C-alpha cells in the first residue's frame, strides 16, 4: 500500500530512548554519544574560552605593569627620518621613526628609535614606553583594545575546542553507523534464505 500523497512521515523525537522492538543497543549508545558530544562541546568550549580570555587579560595586565611612560628627547627632525609604512589605501599619517634619547632607571642615558609626529624637530620632548630595565617596548594594549584581544582569544579557543569535540563525536558516530550497517548485512544474509523459502511457499 503506497503512502498518501502530500502526507509526510511524523518525526518522532528522542526515539532512541523509547522502548521499541526495532531499537538496538547501538541506537541507545549513539543517542548518549550525541548528548555527551553536545554537553562536551558547550562545557569544554566555555571553560577553555574563559580560561584563554583570562590568561590573555592577565598577560596584558602584566605587560602594562612592567611598562612605564618615560619622556624622551628627539635627536633629529621627523622630516629627516624615514616615514612610517603607508597604509593599504595609500595614505599615511606623516609619523616617522626618529632617534630619541631618554634616561633609564639606573640614571644612564639611552638612545633608540621611536615614532614621532609630523613636524616634530630635534630637541622636542615625546613620550615613550620602557620596561623595568629601561629598554624601549611597544605601548601595551589597554582599555577597549585589551578587552577586545581577550574576548577574541576566548572566542577563538572556545570555537576550536568545540569544533574538536564535534569532529570527535562525528567520527565515533560514523564508525558506529558503519558497524551497524555491517551487522545489518550479516543478519540479512541469515534471514534472506528463510525469507525466499517463505515467498516460494
Amino acid at each position: 500500500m503506497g503512502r498518501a500523497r502530500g502526507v509526510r512521515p511524523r518525526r518522532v523525537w528522542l526515539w532512541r530512548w523509547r522502548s521499541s522492538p526495532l531499537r538496538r543497543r547501538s541506537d541507545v549508545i549513539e543517542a548518549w554519544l550525541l548528548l555527551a558530544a553536545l554537553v562536551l562541546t558547550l562545557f569544554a568550549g566555555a571553560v577553555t574560552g574563559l580560561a584563554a580570555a583570562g590568561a590573555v587579560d592577565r598577560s596584558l595586565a602584566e605587560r602594562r605593569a612592567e611598562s612605564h611612560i618615560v619622556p624622551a628627547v628627539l635627536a633629529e627632525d621627523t622630516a629627516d627620518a624615514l616615514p612610517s609604512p603607508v597604509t593599504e589605501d595609500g595614505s599615511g599619517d606623516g609619523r616617522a621613526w626618529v632617534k630619541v634619547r631618554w634616561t633609564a632607571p639606573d640614571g644612564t642615558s639611552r638612545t633608540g628609535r621611536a615614532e614621532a609626529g609630523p613636524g616634530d624637530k630635534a630637541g622636542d620632548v615625546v613620550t615613550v614606553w620602557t620596561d623595568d630595565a629601561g629598554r624601549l617596548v611597544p605601548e601595551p594594549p589597554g582599555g577597549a583594545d585589551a578587552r577586545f584581544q581577550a574576548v577574541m582569544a576566548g572566542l577563538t579557543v572556545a570555537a576550536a575546542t568545540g569544533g574538536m569535540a564535534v569532529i570527535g563525536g562525528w567520527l565515533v558516530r560514523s564508525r558506529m553507523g558503519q558497524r551497524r550497517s555491517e551487522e545489518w548485512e550479516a543478519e540479512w544474509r541469515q534471514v534472506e534464505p528463510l525469507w525466499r523459502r517463505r515467498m516460494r511457499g
Side-chain angles (χ1 to χ4, degrees):
M1 184 174 181
R3 187 171 56 186
R5 292 183 179 178
V7 178
R8 294 183 178 179
R10 184 170 61 91
R11 176 173 292 181
V12 180
W13 297 101
L14 304 178
W15 66 269
R16 288 184 175 88
W17 276 286
R18 297 184 178 184
S19 297
S20 171
L22 300 178
R23 188 186 67 177
R24 297 169 179 260
R25 182 170 176 268
S26 60
D27 295 328
V28 179
I29 296 176
E30 183 177 354
W32 283 109
L33 173 65
L34 294 176
L35 180 61
L38 176 61
V39 173
L40 181 62
T41 299
L42 297 176
F43 179 75
V47 171
T48 56
L50 290 174
V56 171
D57 187 59
R58 288 190 297 273
S59 176
L60 295 178
E62 290 177 359
R63 285 179 55 186
R64 289 192 296 269
E66 295 171 355
S67 302
H68 312 282
I69 296 179
V70 176
V73 179
L74 271 63
E76 58 182 335
D77 297 343
T78 303
D80 298 333
L82 293 175
S84 298
V86 178
T87 58
E88 293 182 0
D89 60 1
S91 62
D93 58 4
R95 300 178 65 83
W97 288 90
V98 298
K99 185 177 181 180
V100 296
R101 289 192 300 270
W102 71 96
T103 303
D106 59 3
T108 59
S109 179
R110 303 285 183 90
T111 59
R113 289 197 170 272
E115 271 195 313
D120 289 346
K121 299 183 179 299
D124 291 346
V125 177
V126 296
T127 55
V128 296
W129 289 84
T130 64
D131 58 14
D132 293 334
R135 296 184 294 262
L136 286 177
V137 295
E139 180 181 353
D145 191 20
R147 289 192 296 272
F148 176 77
Q149 290 190 27
V151 169
M152 289 303 298
L155 292 177
T156 302
V157 173
T161 304
M164 291 177 61
V166 170
I167 292 174
W170 180 83
L171 290 175
V172 175
R173 185 186 181 189
S174 177
R175 176 55 184 163
M176 291 181 64
Q178 182 181 358
R179 183 177 179 182
R180 184 164 50 236
S181 298
E182 294 173 354
E183 292 176 353
W184 284 344
E185 291 179 1
E187 292 179 3
W188 177 247
R189 284 195 296 268
Q190 296 176 358
V191 174
E192 185 181 12
L194 299 176
W195 183 267
R196 287 186 176 179
R197 283 197 295 268
R198 286 184 181 181
M199 295 295 292
R200 291 175 182 174

